[in-house]
Amino acid sequence: MIKLNGTVTDGNNFFENTDPFDLIAEYGSPLYVYNERLLRENCRLLKNFCPYPQFQLHYSVKANANLSLLRIIREEGLRVDAMSPGEIVVEQAAGFSSGEILFVSNNISDTEMQFVHDKGILMSVDSVSQLERYATLFPDSEIFIRFNTGIGAGHHEKVVTGGKNTKFGVTPDAIPAVKDILRRYNIRLKGINQHIGSLFLEKSPYMESVESIFEIARQFDDLDFIDFGGGFGVPYHKQEGQGALDFCDMGQALAAAMKNFSNEYGKQLTYVIEPGRFVVCEAGVLIGTVHAIKENHGTKYVGTDLGLNTLMRPAMYDAFHDVEVYRATEDVSAAYEAVTITGNICETGDILAKNRLMPEIFENDLICVLDAGAYGYSMASNYTCRLRPAEYLITGERGRLIRRRDTFDDILAAYV
Ligand SMILES: *Cc1c(COP(=O)(O)O)cnc(C)c1O
């Protein structure tokens, strides 16, 4: 096998002793592949970057809810967030206790509230309307509330979740109404949270949002914790040398801000972050196969099995993923050319990489999409009745299947 553009997976020894062609032969194409060592390294980096004693990490499971990965993340001492009852079910199957789960809700039903409450899991609501619903159902209970202070950040307008143009959070002007409900129903506000958006690589927007949530915290007397949300970015343009977030610098700044605020507040508050992407993104790749090459009106298309049903991010967010190419033979073609790499779905937007300068690609080459561990499998679907791929974990010397490929029976199973 030869690797073209393969500096990243060679650099971190992603595949260890495994051969991508063997994995594809055994588990089918496409295939999600994760590396346990890299996953554990990310967890440890997060656990250690911020030197504040009551600092709590809640992995945001929507980035990747694979049960085996969750067990590893739990072993590393992280807790979790959930955003749906289904996520709670998976988290509890992975061994997380109710006390280790925070539920961050958005527009949920009474039945869902009841489900979370019955499990003894603390929930955040993100509107006055949902607060009142919760309070009516469960007076004399506890809650936390998501605020939107008007600050947002992210790599695409669809992932900016704070700020003035998003559906999320309670705005500061509603604080009197919030207090009124808390008082009338005897609800204790244990914490406040926010999530400004996803994928920042500079500390300034996050630190700015930290200051603005402190502004909200000052208006409540007896909080136990403040949750700053997730959004810690990873560099998707590694092949161009894009740098990573400076965790050391960020950790110092966060710890100083936390300490100052606790002093001012007169209480050793617990501070929470909810990273999703950062935990799993770089620990996963997606491998697919080239089935066709053609030229259409001056554009060269590389046709693969990596449809938007398998990896949604490029179609949904115009997201960029670095791509490596693996070839079973030793035929190296030195020629670079601009190509558009597409999937196998009947959608014009089914494009993995547009107008990308790549070494010449041939049929039967493998395409390895980097940084696919987050929002990859978790957003995969059965669109066009395609089977979602298997997931495989490289664990040191050996590896193992951690989710089988869908079957046609899975496709038929839910029809009545
Ligand atoms: C999606 C989400 C996260 C995780 O975001 P990442 O960008 O993956 O770190 C954290 N908190 C909330 C409320 C979210 O919706």
Side-chain angles (χ1 to χ4, degrees), residues 60 62-63 81 83 104 146 161 168 193-195 197-199 229-232 274-278 375:
S60 184
K62 76 181 199 276
D81 265 9
M83 292 174 194
V104 182
R146 178 169 180 175
T161 50
F168 296 104
N193 62 311
Q194 68 175 5
H195 173 65
S198 198
L199 217 179
F232 299 80
E274 307 170 349
R277 183 189 315 275
F278 185 82
Y375 306 107

Side-chain angles (χ1 to χ4, degrees), residues 14-241:
F14 189 93
F15 290 104
E16 313 226 1
N17 296 328
T18 62
D19 179 309
F21 280 93
D22 293 345
L23 294 178
I24 291 289
E26 180 136 13
Y27 302 106
S29 178
L31 178 69
Y32 275 97
V33 183
Y34 306 94
N35 181 302
E36 178 172 352
R37 169 179 48 85
L38 296 175
L39 177 63
R40 288 189 187 274
E41 278 172 19
N42 288 345
C43 292
R44 287 172 198 170
L45 186 157
L46 285 170
K47 272 192 75 177
N48 296 320
F49 87 100
C50 180
Y52 179 87
Q54 288 99 312
F55 176 54
Q56 221 166 276
L57 284 158
H58 285 252
Y59 167 58
S60 184
V61 169
K62 76 181 199 276
N64 190 319
N66 184 287
L67 195 57
S68 299
L69 301 186
L70 284 181
R71 289 190 175 123
I72 294 170
I73 290 165
R74 182 166 177 276
E75 271 176 28
E76 289 297 331
L78 276 68
R79 304 172 187 221
V80 278
D81 265 9
M83 292 174 194
S84 71
E87 286 188 349
I88 291 175
V89 169
V90 179
E91 288 165 358
Q92 296 206 314
F96 290 97
S97 67
S98 294
E100 293 169 330
I101 302 173
L102 288 175
F103 190 82
V104 182
S105 77
N106 180 237
N107 306 335
I108 61 173
S109 68
D110 291 357
T111 318
E112 289 170 297
M113 283 188 185
Q114 188 74 51
F115 180 92
V116 179
H117 185 81
D118 288 351
K119 296 262 183 199
I121 293 170
L122 189 67
M123 158 177 342
S124 108
V125 288
D126 91 334
S127 62
V128 173
S129 136
Q130 291 252 293
L131 175 61
E132 182 129 37
R133 229 180 222 256
Y134 187 88
T136 313
L137 286 171
F138 313 111
D140 311 311
S141 63
E142 295 178 326
I143 202 162
F144 67 121
I145 297 180
R146 178 169 180 175
F147 281 93
N148 180 341
T149 61
I151 294 177
H155 64 93
H156 185 279
E157 88 181 79
K158 286 187 189 157
V159 302
V160 175
T161 50
K164 301 198 167 103
N165 296 313
T166 79
K167 68 169 177 171
F168 296 104
V170 173
T171 50
D173 60 311
I175 289 177
V178 164
K179 287 189 168 172
D180 182 53
I181 295 170
L182 294 175
R183 189 181 40 74
R184 276 194 288 125
Y185 294 90
N186 190 32
I187 307 273
R188 163 132 198 267
L189 185 67
K190 280 187 71 108
I192 56 175
N193 62 311
Q194 68 175 5
H195 173 65
I196 61 168
S198 198
L199 217 179
F200 62 86
L201 287 167
E202 301 285 337
K203 77 170 189 286
S204 49
Y206 202 76
M207 294 312 298
E208 202 188 322
S209 78
V210 164
E211 290 304 327
S212 75
I213 191 97
F214 287 160
E215 199 48 54
I216 307 282
R218 285 185 183 100
Q219 302 181 57
F220 294 96
D221 294 333
D222 191 22
L223 300 174
D224 290 341
F225 72 92
I226 301 177
D227 174 348
F228 301 131
F232 299 80
V234 301
Y236 282 93
H237 293 260
K238 291 185 180 57
Q239 289 169 338
E240 286 172 16

